[in-house]
Amino acid sequence: MEVYAHANNSLDGLPSKIREYVQEKITLCQPSSFHVCDGSEQENQELLDAMEQAGVIRRLKKYKNCYIATTDPRDVARVESRTIICTKNMNDVVSTPRSGFPPVTDPNLPKNLKQTPLGNWMDSDEMMEVMEKRFAGCMRGRTLFVIPYMMGPYSSPYSKVAIEITDSPYVVVSMRIMTRMGTQVFKELKVPDGSTVVKCLHSVGVPLPSDKPVCSTWPSNPEQTLITHFPERNEIISFGSGYGGNSLCGKKCLALRIGSSLAKREGWLAEHMLIMSITNPEGVKKYFVAAFPSACGKTNLAMLRPKGLPGYKVECVGDDIAWMHFDEEGRLRAINPEFGFFGVAPGTSKSTNPIALDMVHENTIFTNVAETSDGDVYWEGIDQEIDGLHETLIRSWKNKRWSVDLGEPAAHPNSRFCTSIKQCSILDPEWNNPQGVPIEAIIFGGRRPVGVPLVFESFNWQHGVFVGASMRSESTAAAEFKGKQIMHDPFAMRPFFGYNFGQYLSHWLSFGKKEGLQLPKIYHVNWFLKDSQTNQFLWPGFGENIRVIDWIFRRLTNDSSKKASARKTAIGLIPDQSTSDGIRGGEVNPALLEISNDFWLSECKAIRNYFEENVNENLPKEITLELDALQKRLSQ
Ligand SMILES: Nc1nc2c(ncn2[C@@H]2O[C@H](COP(=O)(O)OP(=O)(O)OP(=O)(O)O)[C@@H](O)[C@H]2O)c(=O)[nH]1
Ligand SMILES: O=C([O-])CC(=O)C(=O)O
Ligand SMILES: [Mn+2]
């Protein structure tokens, strides 16, 4: 679908500053028509129908209101190398690496771009010029959509109103699932002229008629792709990609990159974290947040169905992003700024995540999954008996007839489902509370096949911040990295920092110095340890992760007769399996709780190098002290 037949060409009713902004972008982008989205069911259905007719999405016969979109194979994930934060001063975003910046070799990237492992920076005026050129006439032959939306619950003091301008109807229908979308959000404005609204401009970057060969059902412009953020102007400008985190600007661009920079200025935290509640068999309820890098288990933990320990209940508040503030009593409270899930499909099955599998069979947009000839979805690890699998045809994400013999996956490893939060059957009753939910534990984690134990508790807030800063994890298909390299991913935020990581650490540390705060305890978990001989996971994971959550829960109780004991090690406190109150509910392979001094000393070395190389003069002294102390404990 290129031009939307039902476009309502009127900007009446928009706040004055928004109207000016939209008018300016219409002049720049020269679309054939424009449409202000009201967020209604009718508008949504008309868009879906038009896209289906144009072959952009295919309806799944087997389910109600479910569709598959398949992308240009060059546009399948976030592109971190082309994601840039633009400000006046470089040091506000990145530190100068000790060995200097690498030269920019890609001719399609601006020469003055500064690329670092902790984010990319460019001068905002210069980038504005680059983007003006890319956007001039870029929507010719298409409809420009104006999407008013809000991140966070209605009437929450913590929510933010935004608009996204886009020429992609896929973005419109996805944003309607992922956010609270429609003109009603303007009623939430504290400044009626709209001057505080976060502004996002997105284009797939393929004006029509196109002079290049393009994928007609998924136009994109990978050579010219740039995902840019202007925290000093509260603006996001994204060009060339239609994919998730690159194009649904509310998610990573606003909720994390602009969000973290707003959070720093306003004294709160915007984090890549799930939010869950846990109710124990006695009916005591606690809320936890957890930060794992992309494709490392947030959605699965947020929807955990307990296995192995009776009587526990888990409910979900959010699976990807948490905005957190300390309230007047000094408690940390979290809201989920999103309204939907953009979850990894592969690996989602009845046994691993039945809650997610149940919720995606209605009103869901799948991207880059495979389809069976009877109108069902298919992906690696769906673990589903397909009737007469041999006769059933599977159409791969590349739109080709698929069989195992092809030696490539049927669904892309980063294929996703996009579903409203309301379809989650274990939604926490407080999920939409404008004040958020009180957080008692912060859990960090990553994919570490060796060395990092199943769980450890940090000694205190400052040590916990160091644990977050030192996170490393195996790379996944959620971004463009190839293979399974162990990458530094502090706070699971490496791709999402909106300002200098050194200052981010100071911001986190500052809460440890404030009087009267009830600081949550900080943990680190690792579900992904492997047996070096068999290459099998040592921990069953998924539902049985409740056994680790149970230990954390029992560490947090004030009742000393119920509090779980812990064993002190150099890296932190771990479950004591020589007592009966360690990890419960079944076997625990001793290798899961082994601490090797050699491993951790080499880890210290890698972390020190990384900090010295990439954070250097912006590294808070507290972090160096923690690293020195860890090294000392390990050497004793
Ligand atoms: N072995 C093992 N795999 C897991 C576990 N939890 C999740 N996974 C797998 O890890 C992959 C990603 O899991 P998700 O829960 O979707 O990860 P996420 O952090 O929400 O990912 P993003 O949406 O990219 O931020 C899936 O293929 C899961 O099946 C676990 O406890 N053990
Ligand atoms: O941003 C995306 O495309 C999906 C996501 O949640 C992540 O990568 O963390
Ligand atoms: Mn994510």
Side-chain angles (χ1 to χ4, degrees), residues 320-341:
D320 200 48
I321 297 171
W323 281 1
M324 301 188 289
H325 307 71
F326 282 96
D327 67 13
E328 272 156 24
E329 279 99 62
R331 263 177 319 191
L332 187 62
R333 301 190 72 97
I335 60 166
N336 172 11
E338 303 192 276
F339 196 68
F341 306 112

Side-chain angles (χ1 to χ4, degrees), residues 294-300 320 346 416 447 527-528 537 542 545:
S294 300
C296 291
K298 287 183 300 301
T299 303
N300 277 269
D320 200 48
R416 302 261 169 177
R447 275 179 194 266
W527 315 143
F528 299 96
F537 289 117
F542 301 105
N545 292 335

Side-chain angles (χ1 to χ4, degrees), residues 78 251-252 256 272-273 292-296 298-299 319-321 338 342 344 416 478 492 496:
R78 287 182 291 99
K251 196 172 183 49
K252 301 310 200 255
L256 291 178
H272 193 199
M273 291 177 175
F292 310 152
S294 300
C296 291
K298 287 183 300 301
T299 303
D319 80 324
D320 200 48
I321 297 171
E338 303 192 276
F342 187 64
V344 177
R416 302 261 169 177
F496 311 117

